[in-house]
Amino acid sequence: MKNCIVPFVASVLFLTTAFLGRAQTAFHKYSLSVSLTGGSTRANYATKNNSPSDLSAPINRENMDGIVDPLILEFGITDRIGVGFTAGADIYKIDAKKFYNYDAKYESGKLPTYAHYFTLDFNYHPYVTRKLDLSYSLGIGTLKVNVFDCPEDEAATQDAASTEDNTAEKNDDGVQQYNQYIARGPMLRAGVKLRYYFWRRLGIMGMVTGFSGKANSLNRSDSNFGKGYATRINGVATELGICFRFF
């Protein structure tokens, strides 16, 4: 019995020491962190009518500013590599006539636009200390674009309740549904992140991300809002927020 106790105690001490050693770094194997950021984006917003009857249609494009607010989760699979996801939305205001040849009823044609994205992320951490964590990220996922012909103060509610139909009517809850353009497609994001932990598990994070996505129209109603139009959004986002590490 005594012969078993010594190796057992030694093993426990070894594992405890190894875990505590990892826990002293800002990123390590089996770490789990979540970040919530916000910031601005500078994007090139472009559309093209891909309808069979309009194959020669010009590409309409414009550089514009927006706001961004992603949620980021990451799990360490080694001391240098992590995987996770990013979910968020960029918000713009676009000219419906210019981009979709649509005569809007609200907001003088300058309509609220939500570009939702969800990506699976692969991260490499070349520099890690007790407080600092520098990483490079590559994310591949999906893009959904919603443009609403509605009063600006109702856009967020419309976005939360949006479906893959753009018929102007009331839904089952009695909420007015306005004409909308809906599109889906692939999304690619790549960038650099820097986390600084001023407390053991709580810190701040800054990031710069380049992104590119193209979404094709899903409109299925009789509305002419963007039917047959593809939307491409390329740009750069700069963000600042908080991060929390569970392990």
Side-chain angles (χ1 to χ4, degrees):
M1 182 68 177
K2 292 182 179 179
N3 293 335
C4 297
I5 293 177
V6 175
F8 176 76
V9 173
S11 298
V12 171
L13 290 175
F14 173 79
L15 292 173
T16 302
T17 302
F19 178 80
L20 289 176
R22 282 199 178 100
Q24 295 304 310
T25 60
F27 176 84
H28 52 84
K29 187 176 182 180
Y30 304 133
S31 64
L32 178 64
S33 64
V34 61
S35 306
L36 184 63
T37 64
S40 62
T41 178
R42 181 66 174 173
N44 181 264
Y45 194 101
T47 62
K48 186 177 187 301
N49 190 343
N50 289 330
S51 299
S53 60
D54 200 9
L55 294 177
S56 62
I59 298 176
N60 304 299
R61 62 175 77 245
E62 180 181 329
N63 293 326
M64 61 182 66
D65 297 322
I67 59 175
V68 58
D69 58 346
L71 171 69
I72 303 167
L73 185 141
E74 182 180 1
F75 177 74
I77 58 175
T78 74
D79 287 340
R80 295 294 181 186
I81 298 175
V83 295
F85 69 81
T86 298
D90 298 349
I91 305 174
Y92 307 96
K93 292 197 73 173
I94 60 95
D95 185 330
K97 185 65 175 179
K98 174 181 179 179
F99 287 106
Y100 300 104
N101 193 29
Y102 173 74
D103 294 314
K105 298 178 181 178
Y106 299 92
E107 300 299 325
S108 301
K110 300 290 186 179
L111 300 181
T113 302
Y114 293 78
H116 294 272
Y117 53 85
F118 180 89
T119 60
L120 297 178
D121 302 333
F122 304 89
N123 306 283
Y124 175 66
H125 299 252
Y127 182 76
V128 180
T129 68
R130 289 187 64 243
K131 293 182 176 292
L132 285 175
D133 173 21
L134 174 68
S135 64
Y136 302 110
S137 177
L138 175 65
I140 302 173
T142 62
L143 170 68
K144 180 183 179 184
V145 179
N146 289 336
V147 188
F148 299 93
D149 186 7
C150 72
E152 185 173 6
D153 60 359
E154 295 186 33
T157 301
Q158 294 297 313
D159 184 58
S162 68
T163 64
E164 292 186 0
D165 188 4
N166 66 338
T167 305
E169 60 183 12
K170 290 187 177 182
N171 64 14
D172 294 338
D173 297 325
V175 177
Q176 175 66 45
Q177 300 293 293
Y178 298 88
N179 281 343
Q180 58 181 302
Y181 165 81
I182 308 167
R184 286 188 183 273
M187 182 72 164
L188 178 67
R189 291 168 54 87
V192 58
K193 306 170 186 174
L194 180 63
R195 295 180 175 92
Y196 174 74
Y197 289 91
F198 53 82
W199 186 60
R200 183 181 178 186
R201 301 186 185 280
L202 184 64
I204 58 174
M205 184 179 81
M207 58 186 293
V208 178
T209 306
F211 56 88
S212 179
K214 182 180 180 181
N216 292 310
S217 171
L218 293 178
N219 289 0
R220 298 172 181 171
S221 76
D222 293 333
S223 168
N224 64 348
F225 190 177
K227 183 173 289 186
Y229 275 81
T231 300
R232 180 181 291 276
I233 308 175
N234 303 319
V236 176
T238 55
E239 303 159 52
L240 184 67
I242 60 173
C243 54
F244 183 83
R245 188 180 70 246
F246 292 94
F247 308 113

mmCIF file of all heavy atoms in Angstrom, residues 187-217:
data_model
loop_
_atom_site.group_PDB
_atom_site.id
_atom_site.type_symbol
_atom_site.label_atom_id
_atom_site.label_comp_id
_atom_site.label_asym_id
_atom_site.label_seq_id
_atom_site.Cartn_x
_atom_site.Cartn_y
_atom_site.Cartn_z
ATOM 1 N N MET A 187 -18.520 33.961 -46.047
ATOM 2 C CA MET A 187 -17.818 35.070 -45.394
ATOM 3 C C MET A 187 -16.419 34.631 -44.996
ATOM 4 O O MET A 187 -16.227 33.504 -44.507
ATOM 5 C CB MET A 187 -18.587 35.511 -44.146
ATOM 6 C CG MET A 187 -17.985 36.706 -43.407
ATOM 7 S SD MET A 187 -18.223 38.225 -44.346
ATOM 8 C CE MET A 187 -17.901 39.466 -43.093
ATOM 9 N N LEU A 188 -15.437 35.493 -45.194
ATOM 10 C CA LEU A 188 -14.059 35.239 -44.788
ATOM 11 C C LEU A 188 -13.560 36.412 -43.963
ATOM 12 O O LEU A 188 -13.718 37.570 -44.364
ATOM 13 C CB LEU A 188 -13.162 35.039 -46.017
ATOM 14 C CG LEU A 188 -11.675 34.800 -45.759
ATOM 15 C CD1 LEU A 188 -11.472 33.446 -45.063
ATOM 16 C CD2 LEU A 188 -10.880 34.849 -47.056
ATOM 17 N N ARG A 189 -12.968 36.115 -42.789
ATOM 18 C CA ARG A 189 -12.419 37.151 -41.915
ATOM 19 C C ARG A 189 -11.005 36.759 -41.482
ATOM 20 O O ARG A 189 -10.742 35.582 -41.189
ATOM 21 C CB ARG A 189 -13.296 37.334 -40.661
ATOM 22 C CG ARG A 189 -14.644 37.942 -40.929
ATOM 23 C CD ARG A 189 -15.576 37.846 -39.731
ATOM 24 N NE ARG A 189 -15.000 38.387 -38.518
ATOM 25 C CZ ARG A 189 -15.068 39.672 -38.161
ATOM 26 N NH1 ARG A 189 -15.700 40.530 -38.931
ATOM 27 N NH2 ARG A 189 -14.534 40.079 -37.039
ATOM 28 N N ALA A 190 -10.105 37.731 -41.435
ATOM 29 C CA ALA A 190 -8.732 37.483 -40.990
ATOM 30 C C ALA A 190 -8.231 38.725 -40.275
ATOM 31 O O ALA A 190 -8.504 39.859 -40.708
ATOM 32 C CB ALA A 190 -7.828 37.140 -42.167
ATOM 33 N N GLY A 191 -7.501 38.526 -39.163
ATOM 34 C CA GLY A 191 -7.041 39.690 -38.435
ATOM 35 C C GLY A 191 -6.065 39.366 -37.327
ATOM 36 O O GLY A 191 -5.578 38.238 -37.197
ATOM 37 N N VAL A 192 -5.797 40.382 -36.517
ATOM 38 C CA VAL A 192 -4.878 40.249 -35.393
ATOM 39 C C VAL A 192 -5.579 40.747 -34.129
ATOM 40 O O VAL A 192 -6.327 41.730 -34.167
ATOM 41 C CB VAL A 192 -3.572 41.044 -35.654
ATOM 42 C CG1 VAL A 192 -3.873 42.521 -35.889
ATOM 43 C CG2 VAL A 192 -2.594 40.864 -34.507
ATOM 44 N N LYS A 193 -5.359 40.036 -33.011
ATOM 45 C CA LYS A 193 -5.979 40.379 -31.735
ATOM 46 C C LYS A 193 -4.904 40.526 -30.667
ATOM 47 O O LYS A 193 -3.922 39.783 -30.667
ATOM 48 C CB LYS A 193 -6.959 39.277 -31.293
ATOM 49 C CG LYS A 193 -8.014 38.909 -32.305
ATOM 50 C CD LYS A 193 -8.770 37.663 -31.878
ATOM 51 C CE LYS A 193 -9.722 37.193 -32.957
ATOM 52 N NZ LYS A 193 -10.367 35.897 -32.602
ATOM 53 N N LEU A 194 -5.116 41.466 -29.770
ATOM 54 C CA LEU A 194 -4.215 41.642 -28.633
ATOM 55 C C LEU A 194 -5.053 41.743 -27.365
ATOM 56 O O LEU A 194 -5.893 42.643 -27.236
ATOM 57 C CB LEU A 194 -3.359 42.904 -28.795
ATOM 58 C CG LEU A 194 -2.372 43.179 -27.653
ATOM 59 C CD1 LEU A 194 -1.337 42.046 -27.554
ATOM 60 C CD2 LEU A 194 -1.691 44.521 -27.831
ATOM 61 N N ARG A 195 -4.820 40.805 -26.440
ATOM 62 C CA ARG A 195 -5.510 40.818 -25.150
ATOM 63 C C ARG A 195 -4.524 41.193 -24.050
ATOM 64 O O ARG A 195 -3.381 40.716 -24.045
ATOM 65 C CB ARG A 195 -6.117 39.447 -24.850
ATOM 66 C CG ARG A 195 -7.224 39.007 -25.801
ATOM 67 C CD ARG A 195 -7.742 37.640 -25.395
ATOM 68 N NE ARG A 195 -8.877 37.190 -26.185
ATOM 69 C CZ ARG A 195 -8.772 36.447 -27.284
ATOM 70 N NH1 ARG A 195 -7.573 36.054 -27.700
ATOM 71 N NH2 ARG A 195 -9.847 36.078 -27.949
ATOM 72 N N TYR A 196 -4.985 42.028 -23.131
ATOM 73 C CA TYR A 196 -4.191 42.383 -21.949
ATOM 74 C C TYR A 196 -5.041 42.133 -20.717
ATOM 75 O O TYR A 196 -6.106 42.746 -20.538
ATOM 76 C CB TYR A 196 -3.756 43.846 -21.995
ATOM 77 C CG TYR A 196 -3.064 44.286 -20.721
ATOM 78 C CD1 TYR A 196 -1.762 43.880 -20.433
ATOM 79 C CD2 TYR A 196 -3.729 45.092 -19.792
ATOM 80 C CE1 TYR A 196 -1.138 44.269 -19.265
ATOM 81 C CE2 TYR A 196 -3.109 45.485 -18.617
ATOM 82 C CZ TYR A 196 -1.816 45.064 -18.359
ATOM 83 O OH TYR A 196 -1.206 45.443 -17.186
ATOM 84 N N TYR A 197 -4.576 41.226 -19.863
ATOM 85 C CA TYR A 197 -5.315 40.867 -18.646
ATOM 86 C C TYR A 197 -4.790 41.700 -17.477
ATOM 87 O O TYR A 197 -3.698 41.469 -16.976
ATOM 88 C CB TYR A 197 -5.169 39.373 -18.361
ATOM 89 C CG TYR A 197 -5.925 38.507 -19.351
ATOM 90 C CD1 TYR A 197 -5.312 38.044 -20.516
ATOM 91 C CD2 TYR A 197 -7.257 38.173 -19.133
ATOM 92 C CE1 TYR A 197 -6.019 37.268 -21.430
ATOM 93 C CE2 TYR A 197 -7.962 37.393 -20.036
ATOM 94 C CZ TYR A 197 -7.331 36.945 -21.193
ATOM 95 O OH TYR A 197 -8.022 36.186 -22.097
ATOM 96 N N PHE A 198 -5.585 42.672 -17.053
ATOM 97 C CA PHE A 198 -5.197 43.505 -15.920
ATOM 98 C C PHE A 198 -5.575 42.848 -14.599
ATOM 99 O O PHE A 198 -5.124 43.272 -13.531
ATOM 100 C CB PHE A 198 -5.847 44.891 -16.020
ATOM 101 C CG PHE A 198 -7.331 44.870 -16.208
ATOM 102 C CD1 PHE A 198 -8.186 44.717 -15.122
ATOM 103 C CD2 PHE A 198 -7.879 45.002 -17.479
ATOM 104 C CE1 PHE A 198 -9.556 44.701 -15.291
ATOM 105 C CE2 PHE A 198 -9.258 44.990 -17.655
ATOM 106 C CZ PHE A 198 -10.106 44.836 -16.565
ATOM 107 N N TRP A 199 -6.425 41.840 -14.657
ATOM 108 C CA TRP A 199 -6.768 41.008 -13.508
ATOM 109 C C TRP A 199 -6.532 39.575 -13.939
ATOM 110 O O TRP A 199 -6.290 39.301 -15.118
ATOM 111 C CB TRP A 199 -8.229 41.248 -13.093
ATOM 112 C CG TRP A 199 -8.647 40.555 -11.833
ATOM 113 C CD1 TRP A 199 -8.116 40.724 -10.591
ATOM 114 C CD2 TRP A 199 -9.694 39.587 -11.697
ATOM 115 N NE1 TRP A 199 -8.752 39.922 -9.681
ATOM 116 C CE2 TRP A 199 -9.738 39.213 -10.335
ATOM 117 C CE3 TRP A 199 -10.597 39.015 -12.580
ATOM 118 C CZ2 TRP A 199 -10.639 38.275 -9.849
ATOM 119 C CZ3 TRP A 199 -11.506 38.091 -12.101
ATOM 120 C CH2 TRP A 199 -11.520 37.726 -10.740
ATOM 121 N N ARG A 200 -6.575 38.642 -13.029
ATOM 122 C CA ARG A 200 -6.205 37.269 -13.355
ATOM 123 C C ARG A 200 -6.962 36.711 -14.556
ATOM 124 O O ARG A 200 -6.389 36.052 -15.414
ATOM 125 C CB ARG A 200 -6.434 36.360 -12.139
ATOM 126 C CG ARG A 200 -6.008 34.927 -12.384
ATOM 127 C CD ARG A 200 -6.265 34.067 -11.171
ATOM 128 N NE ARG A 200 -5.911 32.681 -11.407
ATOM 129 C CZ ARG A 200 -6.140 31.695 -10.557
ATOM 130 N NH1 ARG A 200 -6.721 31.963 -9.383
ATOM 131 N NH2 ARG A 200 -5.792 30.465 -10.854
ATOM 132 N N ARG A 201 -8.259 36.965 -14.627
ATOM 133 C CA ARG A 201 -9.063 36.423 -15.721
ATOM 134 C C ARG A 201 -9.760 37.484 -16.572
ATOM 135 O O ARG A 201 -10.308 37.148 -17.623
ATOM 136 C CB ARG A 201 -10.130 35.465 -15.163
ATOM 137 C CG ARG A 201 -9.546 34.294 -14.392
ATOM 138 C CD ARG A 201 -10.616 33.307 -13.992
ATOM 139 N NE ARG A 201 -10.086 32.258 -13.150
ATOM 140 C CZ ARG A 201 -9.422 31.195 -13.584
ATOM 141 N NH1 ARG A 201 -9.204 31.059 -14.883
ATOM 142 N NH2 ARG A 201 -8.966 30.283 -12.752
ATOM 143 N N LEU A 202 -9.736 38.734 -16.142
ATOM 144 C CA LEU A 202 -10.452 39.804 -16.839
ATOM 145 C C LEU A 202 -9.461 40.744 -17.519
ATOM 146 O O LEU A 202 -8.451 41.122 -16.926
ATOM 147 C CB LEU A 202 -11.313 40.576 -15.847
ATOM 148 C CG LEU A 202 -12.207 41.667 -16.428
ATOM 149 C CD1 LEU A 202 -13.256 41.071 -17.367
ATOM 150 C CD2 LEU A 202 -12.880 42.448 -15.297
ATOM 151 N N GLY A 203 -9.784 41.104 -18.768
ATOM 152 C CA GLY A 203 -8.883 41.987 -19.488
ATOM 153 C C GLY A 203 -9.583 42.802 -20.556
ATOM 154 O O GLY A 203 -10.817 42.807 -20.667
ATOM 155 N N ILE A 204 -8.782 43.501 -21.335
ATOM 156 C CA ILE A 204 -9.281 44.268 -22.474
ATOM 157 C C ILE A 204 -8.689 43.675 -23.745
ATOM 158 O O ILE A 204 -7.620 43.053 -23.721
ATOM 159 C CB ILE A 204 -8.932 45.767 -22.359
ATOM 160 C CG1 ILE A 204 -7.416 45.953 -22.253
ATOM 161 C CG2 ILE A 204 -9.637 46.396 -21.182
ATOM 162 C CD1 ILE A 204 -6.993 47.407 -22.278
ATOM 163 N N MET A 205 -9.403 43.854 -24.842
ATOM 164 C CA MET A 205 -8.938 43.314 -26.113
ATOM 165 C C MET A 205 -9.131 44.325 -27.223
ATOM 166 O O MET A 205 -10.180 44.973 -27.320
ATOM 167 C CB MET A 205 -9.681 42.029 -26.475
ATOM 168 C CG MET A 205 -9.146 41.384 -27.752
ATOM 169 S SD MET A 205 -9.965 39.839 -28.200
ATOM 170 C CE MET A 205 -11.429 40.481 -28.995
ATOM 171 N N GLY A 206 -8.123 44.456 -28.068
ATOM 172 C CA GLY A 206 -8.213 45.261 -29.269
ATOM 173 C C GLY A 206 -7.957 44.370 -30.472
ATOM 174 O O GLY A 206 -7.186 43.406 -30.391
ATOM 175 N N MET A 207 -8.603 44.657 -31.576
ATOM 176 C CA MET A 207 -8.418 43.826 -32.762
ATOM 177 C C MET A 207 -8.643 44.628 -34.036
ATOM 178 O O MET A 207 -9.395 45.606 -34.049
ATOM 179 C CB MET A 207 -9.350 42.610 -32.727
ATOM 180 C CG MET A 207 -10.819 42.929 -32.640
ATOM 181 S SD MET A 207 -11.859 41.442 -32.419
ATOM 182 C CE MET A 207 -11.622 40.635 -34.000
ATOM 183 N N VAL A 208 -7.938 44.202 -35.075
ATOM 184 C CA VAL A 208 -8.124 44.753 -36.420
ATOM 185 C C VAL A 208 -8.400 43.577 -37.338
ATOM 186 O O VAL A 208 -7.636 42.607 -37.353
ATOM 187 C CB VAL A 208 -6.885 45.528 -36.900
ATOM 188 C CG1 VAL A 208 -7.108 46.036 -38.324
ATOM 189 C CG2 VAL A 208 -6.578 46.681 -35.957
ATOM 190 N N THR A 209 -9.496 43.643 -38.091
ATOM 191 C CA THR A 209 -9.932 42.512 -38.904
ATOM 192 C C THR A 209 -10.292 42.949 -40.308
ATOM 193 O O THR A 209 -11.012 43.936 -40.498
ATOM 194 C CB THR A 209 -11.172 41.839 -38.289
ATOM 195 O OG1 THR A 209 -10.906 41.500 -36.923
ATOM 196 C CG2 THR A 209 -11.536 40.576 -39.050
ATOM 197 N N GLY A 210 -9.782 42.220 -41.291
ATOM 198 C CA GLY A 210 -10.220 42.396 -42.663
ATOM 199 C C GLY A 210 -11.281 41.358 -42.991
ATOM 200 O O GLY A 210 -11.229 40.236 -42.486
ATOM 201 N N PHE A 211 -12.252 41.716 -43.821
ATOM 202 C CA PHE A 211 -13.337 40.781 -44.102
ATOM 203 C C PHE A 211 -13.799 40.915 -45.552
ATOM 204 O O PHE A 211 -13.650 41.968 -46.191
ATOM 205 C CB PHE A 211 -14.520 40.997 -43.154
ATOM 206 C CG PHE A 211 -15.069 42.399 -43.163
ATOM 207 C CD1 PHE A 211 -16.054 42.784 -44.062
ATOM 208 C CD2 PHE A 211 -14.601 43.348 -42.256
ATOM 209 C CE1 PHE A 211 -16.553 44.069 -44.071
ATOM 210 C CE2 PHE A 211 -15.099 44.638 -42.260
ATOM 211 C CZ PHE A 211 -16.075 45.003 -43.174
ATOM 212 N N SER A 212 -14.374 39.830 -46.063
ATOM 213 C CA SER A 212 -14.920 39.812 -47.407
ATOM 214 C C SER A 212 -16.059 38.807 -47.461
ATOM 215 O O SER A 212 -15.912 37.666 -47.023
ATOM 216 C CB SER A 212 -13.843 39.425 -48.433
ATOM 217 O OG SER A 212 -14.380 39.379 -49.740
ATOM 218 N N GLY A 213 -17.202 39.229 -47.991
ATOM 219 C CA GLY A 213 -18.351 38.334 -48.091
ATOM 220 C C GLY A 213 -19.215 38.679 -49.284
ATOM 221 O O GLY A 213 -19.265 39.832 -49.724
ATOM 222 N N LYS A 214 -19.875 37.675 -49.828
ATOM 223 C CA LYS A 214 -20.803 37.879 -50.938
ATOM 224 C C LYS A 214 -22.079 37.112 -50.665
ATOM 225 O O LYS A 214 -22.043 35.918 -50.372
ATOM 226 C CB LYS A 214 -20.192 37.418 -52.258
ATOM 227 C CG LYS A 214 -21.112 37.648 -53.450
ATOM 228 C CD LYS A 214 -20.477 37.179 -54.756
ATOM 229 C CE LYS A 214 -21.426 37.411 -55.937
ATOM 230 N NZ LYS A 214 -20.831 36.950 -57.212
ATOM 231 N N ALA A 215 -23.221 37.792 -50.774
ATOM 232 C CA ALA A 215 -24.515 37.181 -50.475
ATOM 233 C C ALA A 215 -25.453 37.328 -51.668
ATOM 234 O O ALA A 215 -25.528 38.402 -52.287
ATOM 235 C CB ALA A 215 -25.128 37.840 -49.239
ATOM 236 N N ASN A 216 -26.166 36.254 -51.980
ATOM 237 C CA ASN A 216 -27.128 36.259 -53.080
ATOM 238 C C ASN A 216 -28.550 36.360 -52.543
ATOM 239 O O ASN A 216 -28.882 35.786 -51.503
ATOM 240 C CB ASN A 216 -26.977 34.990 -53.914
ATOM 241 C CG ASN A 216 -25.661 34.956 -54.664
ATOM 242 O OD1 ASN A 216 -25.299 35.914 -55.342
ATOM 243 N ND2 ASN A 216 -24.936 33.855 -54.534
ATOM 244 N N SER A 217 -29.407 37.061 -53.271
ATOM 245 C CA SER A 217 -30.767 37.334 -52.835
ATOM 246 C C SER A 217 -31.565 36.059 -52.586
ATOM 247 O O SER A 217 -31.489 35.095 -53.344
ATOM 248 C CB SER A 217 -31.484 38.183 -53.893
ATOM 249 O OG SER A 217 -32.853 38.294 -53.601
#
